[in-house]
């Protein structure tokens, strides 16, 4: 059986993991970037450079010359990191890879990713049921905005570490199976989606990997109404609101992309060039990238 450092009872395993994590100084957004030629077929050196960053920080950025609007880029890139099970998202195209750009009018306009509005801190698929947790996520930029559309990124394991350093009770509260509830809602496309409760932090029994389910949104979300959860959520909000060396700034330009184990991220609002609107492809996977 795997002893996960994220188990609150695993004191020694956690202490060793924590030390290894803190031994390496936090990267800048630029440190995360690996120059690659073709994301569809990485060289061994490119793959290793990306993997090193993912192993340490659960994320890596690449800069490539792949400028064509081709969603296959993500599928082929993901496969090279063991990502094969795409989350079947009803908003995504038939191939399970979403085309993220501004949609005016129609159903997609109701969903923030498809607008130019800012998106608060979250992990992807926080509303998914427990059997469809998103462990891996890829983004590829076809066209960047005229202005804005920048991302901030934070390794969710660092969020766990910093919160546990403050008070392990925060972790205990955020691991409660009913810590965060998405109330039942009626959806134009999906019909009635049942109430979906779950923890913020959970540990995958097979791999010992940490999963984080979070959104800073306050609409369509209900936190468990007890003192411990309130305190933990406030601490997490404060952590993400303060300047921190562990909050990385990134801006995806054409040909660039993000490979990550569904780390915390946000997006600033943006202004499009009407001739060349911002366009990203996004793939969400039911498995993470294993080091
Ligand atoms: Fe997202």
């Amino acid at each position: 059986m795997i002893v996960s450092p994220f188990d609150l009872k695993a004191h020694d395993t956690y202490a060793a993991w924590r030390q290894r994590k803190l031994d390496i100084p936090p990267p800048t957004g630029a440190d995360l970037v690996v120059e690659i030629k073709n994301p569809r077929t990485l060289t061994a050196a490119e793959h290793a450079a990306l993997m090193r960053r993912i192993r340490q920080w659960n994320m890596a950025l690449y800069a490539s010359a792949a400028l064509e609007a081709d969603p296959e880029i993500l599928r082929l890139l993901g496969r090279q990191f063991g990502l094969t099970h795409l989350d079947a998202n009803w908003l995504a195209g038939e191939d399970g890879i979403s085309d993220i750009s501004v949609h005016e009018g129609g159903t997609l306009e109701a969903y923030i990713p498809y607008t130019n509005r800012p998106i608060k801190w979250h992990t992807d698929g926080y509303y998914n049921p427990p059997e469809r947790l998103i462990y891996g996520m890829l983004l590829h930029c076809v066209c960047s905005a005229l202005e804005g559309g920048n991302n901030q990124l934070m390794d969710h394991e660092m969020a766990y570490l910093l919160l546990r350093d403050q008070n392990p009770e925060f972790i205990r509260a955020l691991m409660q199976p009913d810590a965060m509830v998405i109330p039942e809602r009626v959806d134009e496309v999906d019909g009635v989606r049942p109430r979906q409760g779950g923890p913020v932090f959970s540990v995958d029994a097979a791999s010992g990997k940490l999963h984080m389910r979070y959104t800073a949104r306050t609409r369509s979300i209900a936190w468990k109404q007890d003192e411990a959860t309130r305190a933990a959520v406030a601490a997490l909000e404060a952590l993400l609101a303060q300047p921190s060396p562990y909050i990385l700034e990134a801006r995806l330009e054409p040909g660039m992309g993000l490979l990550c184990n569904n780390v915390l991220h946000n997006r600033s609002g943006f202004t499009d060039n009407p001739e060349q609107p911002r366009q990203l492809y996004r793939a969400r996977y039911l498995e993470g990238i294993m080091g």
Side-chain angles (χ1 to χ4, degrees):
M1 205 189 93
I2 289 180
V3 178
S4 170
F6 306 111
D7 180 341
L8 271 176
K9 294 190 288 293
H11 297 285
D12 294 348
T13 312
Y14 177 68
W17 172 84
R18 179 183 175 280
Q19 197 51 53
R20 280 199 307 277
K21 194 83 177 169
L22 293 175
D23 277 347
I24 296 183
T28 63
D31 293 334
L32 284 181
V33 182
V34 178
E35 300 274 346
I36 64 170
K37 278 216 167 64
N38 183 356
R40 299 172 185 88
T41 50
L42 296 171
T43 66
E46 291 168 348
H47 188 277
L50 289 164
M51 204 51 149
R52 230 181 356 259
R53 287 158 175 83
I54 296 165
R55 210 175 285 135
Q56 188 62 34
W57 303 111
N58 281 304
M59 59 185 137
L61 297 166
Y62 61 84
S64 78
L67 301 177
E68 348 34 271
D70 175 14
E72 280 303 301
I73 290 172
L74 281 193
R75 193 189 310 277
L76 295 171
L77 177 64
R79 229 175 258 167
Q80 296 169 77
F81 290 88
L83 303 176
T84 53
H85 296 92
L86 283 160
D87 183 37
N89 176 357
W90 47 265
L91 281 175
E94 273 192 37
D95 57 6
I97 294 175
S98 305
D99 184 335
I100 311 280
S101 50
V102 173
H103 287 63
E104 279 170 39
T107 307
L108 290 176
E109 197 185 10
Y111 298 89
I112 298 181
Y114 302 93
T115 69
N116 62 358
R117 296 202 298 273
I119 307 178
K120 292 182 182 181
W121 283 105
H122 67 282
T123 57
D124 270 28
Y126 59 83
Y127 36 74
N128 274 24
E131 67 277 10
R132 273 192 19 236
L133 292 181
I134 303 301
Y135 278 91
M137 197 263 283
L138 306 183
L139 283 176
H140 179 85
C141 176
V142 179
C143 192
S144 53
L146 192 60
E147 206 189 332
N150 300 356
N151 295 109
Q152 288 183 305
L153 305 161
M154 187 184 204
D155 179 358
H156 60 300
E157 290 181 356
M158 274 314 302
Y160 176 102
L161 186 158
L162 296 171
L163 283 175
R164 187 161 165 178
D165 275 3
Q166 281 182 48
N167 186 350
E169 290 307 314
F170 292 158
I171 302 299
R172 198 182 311 282
L174 296 175
M175 283 186 150
Q176 297 176 105
D178 55 350
M180 189 176 106
V181 175
I182 316 292
E184 180 186 274
R185 61 211 192 280
V186 180
D187 199 289
E188 273 182 49
V189 178
D190 234 14
V192 178
R193 295 181 143 214
R195 175 188 155 90
Q196 189 62 63
V200 172
F201 289 118
S202 58
V203 180
D204 179 57
S207 66
K209 277 187 98 65
L210 182 72
H211 187 271
M212 186 173 189
R213 180 174 163 273
Y214 178 69
T215 176
R217 292 187 76 178
T218 48
R219 272 180 21 195
S220 311
I221 177 106
W223 290 102
K224 184 170 183 173
Q225 290 301 305
D226 65 0
E227 204 34 61
T229 308
R230 259 195 291 271
V233 171
L236 177 53
E237 280 172 2
L239 190 76
L240 294 171
Q242 290 155 9
S244 160
Y246 293 103
I247 294 178
L248 311 178
E249 310 284 335
R251 181 183 159 87
L252 297 182
E253 298 294 352
M256 288 183 71
L258 167 71
L259 284 137
C260 76
N261 283 327
N262 202 3
V263 296
L264 285 159
H265 56 286
N266 65 16
R267 182 191 79 189
S268 64
F270 61 88
T271 311
D272 262 341
N273 172 357
E275 307 293 310
Q276 287 176 303
R278 184 179 191 268
Q279 186 187 12
L280 270 75
Y281 291 122
R282 182 193 62 204
R284 291 168 166 171
Y285 292 94
L286 304 181
E287 61 265 301
I289 302 166
M290 296 295 170

